[in-house]
Amino acid sequence: MGRTGSGRPTIADVAARAGVSVGAVSAAVNGKGRLAEATRLRVLAAAAELGWAPSAAAVALRGARVGALGLVLRRDPDLLSSDPHFAQLITGVESALAPLGWGLLLHLVDDGGEERAYRALAAGRRVDGVVLTESRVRDPRFALLRELGLPAALVGTPWRPDPVPTVRARDQHRGITRAVEHLVGLGHRRFGHVSGPEDRVHTRRRRAALRRALGAYGLVPVCVRASGFDPGAAAVAARELLTSAERPTAVLFANDSMAAAGLVTARRLGIDVPGELSVVGHDDLPLCELLHPALTTVRQDLVGLGRAAAVTLLAGLGVVDGAGPEEVRPPELVVRESTGPAPR
């Protein structure tokens, strides 16, 4: 018996092939209703022969799970490819989803496309929930997702208290404190900082943590520049710092890719690292050990954060038992070759 129409197979085609009603096909696929095991197996065999599976939208409309989480990133694809930060985060999310047979739907959008992406995910019932990253000042996503009825879990700390479940590093600013202790111990007194964009919560919190850590020694940053996360923007900010009247002897960057751009900028300006300048990154991505000099950085458990966010969301959806961890291991300083004694 062939298909009842042309093109893709339909549930009616499966019913005809198996010799049952459309309702019986639905019951067999969803595991609902009282259906003889032999009939269920015959339906599943017919579906496999025809290459038919229920669409995600159809499954969602019946109230079942789609079996996917979403991740919407406001990033240019070219910039994302140069920033391994999200690769590690996604690895963590996938490590929680793969054993369950779930998938991750990734959307890259520009500044104006974020709301449209979330609305499309909700309207098409393409995911069961979304993982949020990069908490922002006055973040509009929380209210939007509640309006859409789309469950979420946030990697990070919201700007203001919010019911959305969050996961973060325990004692999340300890790495910055350790970096300052390390550099002060090497004799540094003139500190610079190249941060991320001003609207990111972690930009403001890390900057405050840096000021607190320096304040314990009676110091303040001599220069701070906000930058985009891409290496090009970081290189511009680093040049501004390194050509300023009060050139710092130590600079802390918001991430490792930006710190790598800082190393290249220093080299082009004829500034020796670490002889004249110490550089510290953040995240401890694999590239750190490949740089010359190898990069001192604050190690962050990005894989653990991604996994914890996915588990938290799955627990909230009732897919797994028990809530996910609210915190992963704290950041730690990894000392390599890019830091050394302050120049005399």
Side-chain angles (χ1 to χ4, degrees):
M1 185 179 297
R3 296 178 185 176
T4 56
S6 60
R8 295 180 177 179
T10 67
I11 190 172
D13 295 322
V14 176
R17 171 68 66 90
V20 298
S21 68
V22 169
V25 174
S26 178
V29 171
N30 296 318
K32 296 179 179 179
R34 295 182 179 179
L35 202 65
E37 182 64 11
T39 303
R40 187 183 72 83
L41 292 175
R42 189 167 74 252
V43 169
L44 295 180
E49 290 170 7
L50 293 173
W52 175 85
S55 68
V59 172
L61 286 171
R62 291 194 297 269
R65 299 293 182 203
V66 175
L69 299 183
L71 178 60
V72 177
L73 297 180
R74 203 166 71 181
R75 281 289 194 284
D76 183 286
D78 293 334
L79 298 181
L80 185 68
S81 67
S82 67
D83 183 2
H85 173 105
F86 283 105
Q88 295 208 350
L89 199 68
I90 289 169
T91 296
V93 173
E94 286 282 10
S95 72
L97 298 183
L100 302 174
W102 280 48
L104 178 66
L105 183 60
L106 176 65
H107 269 292
L108 300 182
V109 299
D110 57 23
D111 288 347
E114 194 170 49
E115 180 177 344
R116 289 195 302 274
Y118 285 119
R119 289 191 179 280
L121 289 175
R125 301 297 297 273
R126 299 170 66 189
V127 298
D128 297 300
V130 292
V131 175
L132 300 177
T133 66
E134 295 188 315
S135 178
R136 300 169 204 149
V137 178
R138 291 178 289 278
D139 201 322
R141 294 175 296 175
F142 303 145
L144 172 63
L145 294 174
R146 279 193 286 274
E147 173 198 331
L148 298 174
L150 200 55
L154 170 69
V155 177
T157 305
W159 175 243
R160 294 285 183 258
D162 192 277
V164 65
T166 62
V167 297
R168 63 184 72 84
R170 186 170 64 254
D171 193 8
Q172 56 188 305
H173 297 128
R174 187 177 77 176
I176 292 175
T177 302
R178 295 289 185 269
V180 168
E181 292 171 350
H182 168 65
L183 292 166
V184 169
L186 292 170
H188 291 276
R189 295 297 181 269
R190 297 200 308 276
F191 285 75
H193 179 44
V194 178
S195 73
E198 292 283 3
D199 70 334
R200 302 304 199 272
V201 171
H202 69 71
T203 292
R204 301 196 179 194
R205 291 182 179 274
R206 287 184 191 173
R207 189 178 296 170
L210 176 61
R211 292 186 182 278
R212 284 195 303 271
L214 290 174
Y217 297 96
L219 302 172
V220 295
V222 296
C223 42
V224 175
R225 294 289 186 278
S227 166
F229 291 117
D230 58 291
V236 171
R239 178 174 286 272
E240 291 177 0
L241 262 65
L242 299 179
T243 57
S244 64
E246 284 192 280
R247 192 177 90 190
T249 64
V251 180
L252 291 85
F253 287 83
N255 68 33
D256 294 330
S257 298
M258 295 165 70
L263 289 176
V264 173
T265 301
R267 187 175 300 120
R268 289 175 176 170
L269 292 171
I271 300 171
D272 179 65
V273 178
E276 299 173 88
L277 175 72
S278 286
V279 174
V280 177
H282 201 287
D283 287 345
D284 194 30
L285 301 175
L287 66 87
C288 294
E289 293 186 291
L290 303 177
L291 296 171
H292 180 71
L295 185 65
T296 294
T297 188
V298 174
R299 176 177 293 162
Q300 185 172 212
D301 185 8
L302 295 172
V303 173
L305 285 168
R307 183 186 302 112
V311 171
T312 295
L313 193 46
L314 291 169
L317 292 168
V319 178
V320 299
D321 294 328
E326 294 182 3
E327 295 181 326
V328 301
R329 65 175 183 261
E332 58 183 282
L333 181 68
V334 180
V335 178
R336 296 193 178 96
E337 300 164 359
S338 68
T339 51
R344 292 185 180 275

